Coordinates of all heavy atoms in Angstrom, one line a residue:
M1 N -12.7 -25.7 -5.4 CA -13.4 -24.5 -5.8 C -12.4 -23.6 -6.6 O -11.3 -23.3 -6.2 CB -13.9 -23.7 -4.6 CG -15.1 -22.9 -4.9 SD -15.9 -22.5 -3.3 CE -15.4 -20.8 -3.1
N2 N -12.8 -23.3 -7.8 CA -12.1 -22.4 -8.7 C -12.5 -20.9 -8.5 O -13.5 -20.5 -9.1 CB -12.2 -22.9 -10.1 CG -11.0 -22.3 -11.0 OD1 -10.1 -21.7 -10.5 ND2 -11.2 -22.5 -12.2
N3 N -11.8 -20.1 -7.7 CA -12.2 -18.8 -7.4 C -11.4 -17.8 -8.3 O -10.4 -17.3 -7.9 CB -12.0 -18.5 -5.9 CG -12.6 -17.2 -5.5 OD1 -13.5 -16.7 -6.2 ND2 -12.2 -16.7 -4.4
I4 N -11.9 -17.6 -9.5 CA -11.3 -16.6 -10.3 C -12.1 -15.2 -10.1 O -13.3 -15.2 -10.1 CB -11.5 -17.0 -11.8 CG1 -10.9 -18.3 -12.0 CG2 -10.7 -16.0 -12.6 CD1 -11.2 -18.9 -13.4
N5 N -11.3 -14.2 -9.8 CA -11.9 -13.0 -9.4 C -12.4 -12.2 -10.7 O -11.6 -11.4 -11.2 CB -11.0 -12.1 -8.6 CG -10.9 -12.7 -7.2 OD1 -12.0 -13.1 -6.6 ND2 -9.7 -12.7 -6.7
V6 N -13.5 -12.4 -11.1 CA -14.0 -11.8 -12.3 C -15.2 -10.9 -11.8 O -16.2 -11.4 -11.3 CB -14.5 -12.7 -13.5 CG1 -14.9 -11.9 -14.6 CG2 -13.3 -13.6 -13.8
G7 N -15.1 -9.6 -11.9 CA -16.2 -8.8 -11.5 C -16.4 -8.7 -10.0 O -15.7 -9.2 -9.2
C8 N -17.4 -7.9 -9.6 CA -17.7 -7.6 -8.3 C -18.6 -8.7 -7.7 O -19.6 -9.1 -8.3 CB -18.4 -6.2 -8.3 SG -19.1 -5.9 -6.6
P9 N -18.3 -9.2 -6.5 CA -19.0 -10.2 -5.9 C -20.4 -9.7 -5.4 O -21.3 -10.5 -5.2 CB -18.2 -10.7 -4.7 CG -17.3 -9.6 -4.5 CD -17.0 -8.8 -5.7
R10 N -20.5 -8.5 -5.3 CA -21.7 -7.9 -4.7 C -22.8 -7.6 -5.8 O -23.9 -8.0 -5.8 CB -21.5 -6.6 -3.9 CG -22.7 -6.2 -3.1 CD -22.5 -4.8 -2.5 NE -21.7 -4.7 -1.3 CZ -21.4 -3.6 -0.8 NH1 -21.9 -2.4 -1.3 NH2 -20.5 -3.4 0.2
C11 N -22.3 -6.9 -6.9 CA -23.3 -6.5 -7.9 C -23.0 -7.1 -9.3 O -23.8 -6.9 -10.2 CB -23.3 -5.0 -8.0 SG -21.8 -4.2 -8.7
G12 N -21.8 -7.9 -9.4 CA -21.5 -8.5 -10.7 C -20.9 -7.6 -11.7 O -20.7 -8.0 -12.8
S13 N -20.5 -6.4 -11.4 CA -20.1 -5.4 -12.4 C -18.6 -5.8 -12.6 O -17.9 -6.2 -11.8 CB -20.1 -4.0 -11.7 OG -19.4 -3.2 -12.6
L14 N -18.3 -5.6 -13.9 CA -16.9 -5.7 -14.4 C -16.0 -4.5 -14.2 O -14.9 -4.5 -14.6 CB -16.8 -6.3 -15.7 CG -17.5 -7.7 -15.9 CD1 -17.5 -8.0 -17.5 CD2 -16.7 -8.8 -15.2
N15 N -16.6 -3.4 -13.8 CA -15.9 -2.1 -13.7 C -15.2 -2.1 -12.3 O -15.6 -1.5 -11.3 CB -17.0 -1.1 -13.8 CG -16.3 0.3 -14.0 OD1 -15.1 0.4 -14.3 ND2 -17.1 1.3 -14.1
V16 N -14.1 -2.9 -12.2 CA -13.4 -3.0 -11.0 C -11.9 -2.5 -11.1 O -11.3 -2.8 -12.0 CB -13.3 -4.5 -10.5 CG1 -12.4 -4.9 -9.5 CG2 -14.8 -5.0 -10.2
K17 N -11.5 -1.8 -10.0 CA -10.2 -1.3 -10.1 C -9.3 -1.9 -9.0 O -9.8 -2.3 -8.0 CB -10.2 0.2 -9.7 CG -10.6 1.1 -10.9 CD -10.5 2.6 -10.5 CE -11.5 3.0 -9.5 NZ -11.4 4.5 -9.3
V18 N -8.1 -2.2 -9.4 CA -7.2 -2.7 -8.3 C -6.4 -1.6 -7.6 O -5.9 -0.7 -8.2 CB -6.1 -3.6 -9.0 CG1 -5.1 -4.2 -8.0 CG2 -6.8 -4.8 -9.7
V19 N -6.5 -1.7 -6.3 CA -5.9 -0.5 -5.5 C -4.9 -1.1 -4.6 O -5.1 -2.3 -4.0 CB -7.1 0.1 -4.7 CG1 -6.4 1.2 -3.7 CG2 -8.2 0.6 -5.6
S20 N -3.7 -0.5 -4.5 CA -2.7 -0.8 -3.6 C -2.7 0.1 -2.4 O -2.5 1.4 -2.6 CB -1.3 -1.0 -4.2 OG -1.3 -2.0 -5.1
D21 N -2.7 -0.5 -1.2 CA -2.8 0.3 0.0 C -1.5 0.1 0.8 O -1.3 -1.1 1.2 CB -4.0 0.0 0.7 CG -4.4 1.0 1.8 OD1 -3.9 2.2 1.6 OD2 -5.3 0.7 2.7
I22 N -0.7 1.1 1.0 CA 0.5 0.8 1.8 C 0.3 1.3 3.2 O 0.0 2.5 3.5 CB 1.7 1.5 1.2 CG1 1.9 0.9 -0.1 CG2 2.9 1.3 2.1 CD1 2.8 1.8 -1.1
T23 N 0.3 0.4 4.2 CA 0.1 0.8 5.6 C 1.5 0.6 6.3 O 2.1 -0.3 6.3 CB -0.8 -0.2 6.2 OG1 -1.9 -0.5 5.3 CG2 -1.3 0.3 7.5
E24 N 1.7 1.7 7.1 CA 3.0 1.8 7.9 C 2.6 1.7 9.3 O 1.8 2.5 9.8 CB 3.7 3.1 7.6 CG 5.2 2.8 7.3 CD 5.9 4.1 6.9 OE1 6.0 4.9 7.7 OE2 6.5 4.0 5.8
T25 N 3.1 0.7 9.9 CA 2.9 0.5 11.3 C 4.1 0.6 12.1 O 5.1 -0.1 11.9 CB 2.3 -1.0 11.6 OG1 1.4 -1.3 10.5 CG2 1.6 -1.0 12.9
T26 N 4.0 1.5 13.1 CA 5.2 1.7 13.9 C 4.9 0.9 15.3 O 4.0 1.2 16.0 CB 5.4 3.1 14.2 OG1 5.6 3.8 13.0 CG2 6.7 3.3 15.0
K27 N 5.7 0.0 15.5 CA 5.5 -0.8 16.6 C 6.3 -0.3 17.9 O 7.4 0.3 17.7 CB 5.9 -2.2 16.3 CG 4.9 -3.3 16.4 CD 5.5 -4.7 16.2 CE 4.3 -5.7 16.5 NZ 5.0 -7.0 16.4
G28 N 5.9 -0.6 19.0 CA 6.8 -0.4 20.2 C 6.2 0.6 21.1 O 5.1 1.1 21.0
F29 N 7.0 0.8 22.1 CA 6.7 1.6 23.2 C 6.9 3.1 23.0 O 7.9 3.5 22.3 CB 7.6 1.2 24.4 CG 7.3 -0.1 25.1 CD1 7.8 -1.3 24.4 CD2 6.6 -0.2 26.3 CE1 7.5 -2.5 25.0 CE2 6.4 -1.4 26.8 CZ 6.8 -2.5 26.2
G30 N 6.0 3.9 23.4 CA 6.3 5.3 23.4 C 7.2 5.6 24.6 O 7.4 4.7 25.4
A31 N 7.4 6.9 24.7 CA 8.3 7.3 25.9 C 7.4 7.0 27.2 O 8.0 6.6 28.3 CB 8.6 8.7 25.8
G32 N 6.1 7.2 27.1 CA 5.3 7.0 28.3 C 5.4 5.5 28.7 O 5.5 5.2 29.9
K33 N 5.2 4.7 27.8 CA 5.2 3.2 28.1 C 6.6 2.8 28.8 O 6.7 1.9 29.5 CB 4.9 2.4 26.9 CG 3.3 2.3 26.8 CD 3.0 1.3 25.7 CE 1.5 1.3 25.5 NZ 1.1 0.5 24.3
G34 N 7.8 3.4 28.1 CA 9.1 3.1 28.7 C 9.2 3.5 30.0 O 9.7 2.7 30.8
C35 N 8.6 4.6 30.4 CA 8.7 5.1 31.7 C 7.9 4.2 32.7 O 8.2 3.8 33.7 CB 8.2 6.6 31.9 SG 9.4 7.7 31.2
L36 N 6.7 3.8 32.2 CA 5.9 2.8 32.9 C 6.5 1.6 33.2 O 6.6 1.0 34.3 CB 4.6 2.6 32.1 CG 3.4 2.1 32.9 CD1 2.8 3.0 33.9 CD2 2.3 1.5 31.9
G37 N 7.3 1.0 32.2 CA 8.1 -0.1 32.3 C 9.1 0.0 33.4 O 9.4 -0.9 34.2
Y38 N 9.7 1.2 33.4 CA 10.7 1.6 34.4 C 10.2 1.5 35.8 O 10.8 0.9 36.7 CB 11.3 2.9 34.1 CG 12.5 3.1 35.1 CD1 13.7 2.6 34.8 CD2 12.4 4.0 36.1 CE1 14.8 2.9 35.6 CE2 13.4 4.3 37.0 CZ 14.6 3.7 36.7 OH 15.8 3.9 37.5
I39 N 8.9 2.1 36.0 CA 8.3 2.0 37.3 C 7.9 0.6 37.6 O 8.2 0.2 38.9 CB 7.0 3.0 37.2 CG1 7.4 4.3 37.0 CG2 6.2 2.7 38.5 CD1 6.3 5.3 36.4
C40 N 7.4 -0.1 36.8 CA 7.0 -1.6 37.1 C 8.2 -2.5 37.2 O 8.2 -3.4 38.2 CB 6.0 -2.1 36.0 SG 4.6 -1.1 36.0
L41 N 9.1 -2.4 36.3 CA 10.1 -3.5 36.4 C 11.6 -3.0 36.6 O 12.5 -3.8 36.6 CB 10.1 -4.2 34.8 CG 8.8 -4.7 34.5 CD1 8.8 -5.0 33.0 CD2 8.5 -6.1 35.3
G42 N 11.7 -1.7 36.8 CA 13.1 -1.2 37.0 C 13.8 -1.0 35.7 O 13.2 -1.0 34.6
P43 N 15.2 -1.0 35.7 CA 16.0 -0.7 34.6 C 15.6 -1.7 33.4 O 15.8 -1.4 32.3 CB 17.4 -0.9 35.0 CG 17.4 -0.7 36.5 CD 16.0 -1.2 37.0
I44 N 15.3 -2.9 33.7 CA 15.0 -3.9 32.7 C 13.8 -3.5 31.9 O 13.7 -3.7 30.7 CB 14.9 -5.4 33.3 CG1 16.1 -5.8 34.0 CG2 14.4 -6.4 32.2 CD1 15.9 -6.9 35.0
G45 N 12.8 -3.0 32.5 CA 11.6 -2.6 31.9 C 11.9 -1.4 31.0 O 11.3 -1.3 29.9
L46 N 12.7 -0.4 31.4 CA 13.0 0.7 30.5 C 13.8 0.2 29.3 O 13.6 0.7 28.2 CB 13.9 1.6 31.4 CG 14.3 3.0 30.7 CD1 13.0 3.8 30.5 CD2 15.3 3.7 31.5
L47 N 14.7 -0.8 29.5 CA 15.5 -1.3 28.4 C 14.6 -2.0 27.4 O 14.7 -1.8 26.2 CB 16.5 -2.4 29.0 CG 17.5 -2.8 27.9 CD1 18.5 -1.7 27.7 CD2 18.3 -4.1 28.5
C48 N 13.7 -2.7 27.9 CA 12.7 -3.4 27.0 C 11.9 -2.4 26.3 O 11.5 -2.5 25.1 CB 11.7 -4.3 27.9 SG 12.5 -5.8 28.4
G49 N 11.5 -1.3 27.0 CA 10.7 -0.2 26.3 C 11.5 0.5 25.2 O 11.0 0.7 24.1
M50 N 12.8 0.7 25.4 CA 13.7 1.3 24.3 C 13.9 0.3 23.2 O 13.9 0.8 22.1 CB 15.0 1.7 25.0 CG 14.8 2.9 25.9 SD 16.3 3.1 26.9 CE 17.4 4.2 25.9
L51 N 14.0 -0.9 23.5 CA 14.3 -1.9 22.4 C 13.1 -2.0 21.5 O 13.2 -2.3 20.3 CB 14.6 -3.2 23.0 CG 16.1 -3.4 23.5 CD1 16.2 -4.7 24.3 CD2 17.1 -3.4 22.4
G52 N 11.9 -1.8 22.1 CA 10.7 -2.0 21.3 C 10.4 -0.7 20.4 O 9.4 -0.8 19.6
M53 N 11.2 0.4 20.6 CA 10.9 1.6 19.9 C 11.4 1.6 18.5 O 12.5 0.9 18.2 CB 11.5 2.7 20.7 CG 10.5 3.3 21.6 SD 11.2 4.4 22.9 CE 12.3 5.4 21.9
G54 N 10.7 2.3 17.6 CA 11.3 2.5 16.2 C 11.2 1.4 15.3 O 11.9 1.4 14.2
K55 N 10.5 0.4 15.5 CA 10.3 -0.6 14.6 C 9.1 -0.4 13.7 O 8.0 -0.3 14.0 CB 10.1 -2.0 15.3 CG 11.4 -2.6 15.8 CD 11.1 -4.0 16.4 CE 12.4 -4.5 17.0 NZ 12.1 -5.7 17.8
T56 N 9.4 -0.2 12.4 CA 8.4 0.3 11.4 C 8.2 -0.9 10.5 O 9.2 -1.3 9.8 CB 8.8 1.6 10.7 OG1 9.2 2.6 11.7 CG2 7.5 2.1 9.9
K57 N 6.9 -1.3 10.3 CA 6.6 -2.4 9.4 C 5.8 -1.8 8.3 O 4.8 -1.1 8.5 CB 5.9 -3.4 10.2 CG 6.3 -4.8 10.0 CD 5.5 -5.7 10.7 CE 5.9 -7.2 10.5 NZ 4.9 -8.1 11.1
T58 N 6.2 -2.1 7.1 CA 5.4 -1.6 5.9 C 4.7 -2.8 5.3 O 5.3 -3.8 5.0 CB 6.3 -0.9 4.9 OG1 7.2 -0.1 5.6 CG2 5.5 -0.2 3.9
K59 N 3.4 -2.6 5.2 CA 2.5 -3.7 4.7 C 1.8 -3.1 3.4 O 1.2 -2.1 3.5 CB 1.6 -4.1 5.7 CG 1.0 -5.4 5.5 CD 0.1 -5.7 6.7 CE -0.7 -7.0 6.4 NZ -1.8 -7.2 7.5
T60 N 2.0 -3.9 2.3 CA 1.3 -3.5 1.1 C 0.1 -4.4 1.0 O 0.2 -5.6 0.9 CB 2.2 -3.7 0.0 OG1 3.4 -2.9 0.1 CG2 1.5 -3.0 -1.3
N61 N -1.1 -3.7 0.9 CA -2.4 -4.5 0.7 C -2.9 -4.1 -0.5 O -3.3 -3.1 -0.9 CB -3.2 -4.0 1.9 CG -4.3 -5.0 2.2 OD1 -4.2 -6.1 1.8 ND2 -5.3 -4.5 3.0
T62 N -3.1 -5.2 -1.4 CA -3.7 -5.0 -2.7 C -5.1 -5.6 -2.7 O -5.3 -6.7 -2.2 CB -2.9 -5.8 -3.7 OG1 -1.5 -5.2 -3.6 CG2 -3.4 -5.4 -5.1
Y63 N -6.0 -4.8 -3.0 CA -7.5 -5.3 -3.1 C -8.1 -4.6 -4.3 O -7.5 -3.8 -5.0 CB -8.1 -4.9 -1.9 CG -8.1 -3.4 -1.4 CD1 -9.1 -2.6 -1.8 CD2 -7.1 -2.9 -0.6 CE1 -9.1 -1.3 -1.4 CE2 -7.1 -1.6 -0.2 CZ -8.1 -0.8 -0.6 OH -7.9 0.6 -0.3
R64 N -9.4 -5.0 -4.5 CA -10.1 -4.5 -5.6 C -11.3 -3.7 -5.1 O -11.8 -4.0 -4.1 CB -10.6 -5.5 -6.4 CG -9.4 -6.3 -7.2 CD -10.1 -7.7 -7.6 NE -9.0 -8.6 -7.9 CZ -9.0 -9.3 -9.2 NH1 -9.9 -9.1 -10.1 NH2 -8.1 -10.1 -9.3
V65 N -11.5 -2.7 -5.9 CA -12.8 -1.8 -5.5 C -13.7 -1.8 -6.7 O -13.3 -1.5 -7.8 CB -12.2 -0.4 -5.2 CG1 -13.5 0.5 -4.8 CG2 -11.3 -0.5 -3.9
C66 N -14.9 -2.0 -6.5 CA -16.0 -1.9 -7.5 C -16.3 -0.5 -7.7 O -16.6 0.3 -6.8 CB -17.2 -2.7 -7.1 SG -18.5 -2.6 -8.3
A67 N -16.1 -0.1 -8.9 CA -16.4 1.3 -9.3 C -17.9 1.6 -9.3 O -18.4 2.7 -9.2 CB -15.8 1.7 -10.7
D68 N -18.7 0.6 -9.4 CA -20.2 0.8 -9.4 C -20.8 0.8 -8.0 O -21.5 1.8 -7.7 CB -20.8 -0.3 -10.2 CG -20.6 -0.1 -11.7 OD1 -20.1 1.1 -12.1 OD2 -20.7 -1.0 -12.5
C69 N -20.5 -0.1 -7.1 CA -21.2 -0.1 -5.9 C -20.2 0.2 -4.7 O -20.6 0.3 -3.6 CB -21.9 -1.5 -5.6 SG -20.8 -2.8 -5.3
G70 N -18.9 0.3 -4.9 CA -17.9 0.6 -4.0 C -17.5 -0.5 -3.1 O -16.8 -0.2 -2.2
A71 N -17.9 -1.7 -3.5 CA -17.5 -2.8 -2.6 C -16.0 -3.1 -2.7 O -15.4 -3.0 -3.7 CB -18.3 -4.1 -3.0
R72 N -15.5 -3.4 -1.6 CA -14.0 -3.8 -1.5 C -13.9 -5.3 -1.3 O -14.6 -5.9 -0.4 CB -13.3 -3.1 -0.4 CG -13.0 -1.7 -0.6 CD -12.2 -1.2 0.6 NE -12.0 0.3 0.4 CZ -11.0 1.0 1.1 NH1 -10.4 0.3 2.1 NH2 -10.8 2.2 0.9
F73 N -13.0 -5.9 -2.2 CA -12.8 -7.3 -2.0 C -11.5 -7.7 -2.6 O -10.7 -6.9 -3.2 CB -13.9 -8.1 -2.8 CG -14.1 -7.6 -4.2 CD1 -13.5 -8.3 -5.2 CD2 -14.9 -6.5 -4.5 CE1 -13.5 -7.8 -6.5 CE2 -15.1 -6.1 -5.7 CZ -14.3 -6.8 -6.8
K74 N -11.0 -8.9 -2.2 CA -9.7 -9.3 -2.7 C -9.8 -9.9 -4.0 O -10.7 -10.6 -4.4 CB -9.2 -10.4 -1.7 CG -8.7 -9.8 -0.4 CD -7.2 -9.4 -0.6 CE -6.7 -8.9 0.8 NZ -5.2 -8.5 0.6
Ligands
LIG101 ZN1 -20.1 -3.9 -7.3

């Protein structure tokens, strides 16, 4: 299958814009979860909670938006 992205798959319009969406995801435990880990697992739980903190992942998502019908597609 030769899938060339020409136009909108919904309405067939060629009036399509490419949009880049940057999503930032902060992974890990909040202070509350770290404390919860401490209660459940003792110092090891707290350590795990602290290690999981502050990991930020940036994801760039590029997709197309149809200017005519508003459909989003890759
Ligand atoms: Zn469309």
Side-chain angles (χ1 to χ4, degrees):
M1 212 165 101
N2 193 13
N3 189 18
I4 307 166
N5 288 318
V6 186
C8 172
R10 195 195 280 176
C11 69
S13 170
L14 295 173
N15 198 6
V16 167
K17 284 188 287 184
V18 178
V19 179
S20 285
D21 199 17
I22 299 160
T23 315
E24 226 172 60
T25 316
T26 307
K27 245 187 169 183
F29 288 79
K33 278 188 183 171
C35 289
L36 195 70
Y38 186 77
I39 295 160
C40 295
L41 302 163
I44 298 160
L46 186 67
L47 190 71
C48 289
M50 285 166 84
L51 283 171
M53 272 165 43
K55 280 183 183 171
T56 309
K57 228 181 173 183
T58 310
K59 201 179 172 186
T60 310
N61 199 18
T62 308
Y63 55 91
R64 295 164 198 230
V65 177
C66 175
D68 285 343
C69 74
R72 286 186 180 192
F73 51 94
K74 285 271 179 183

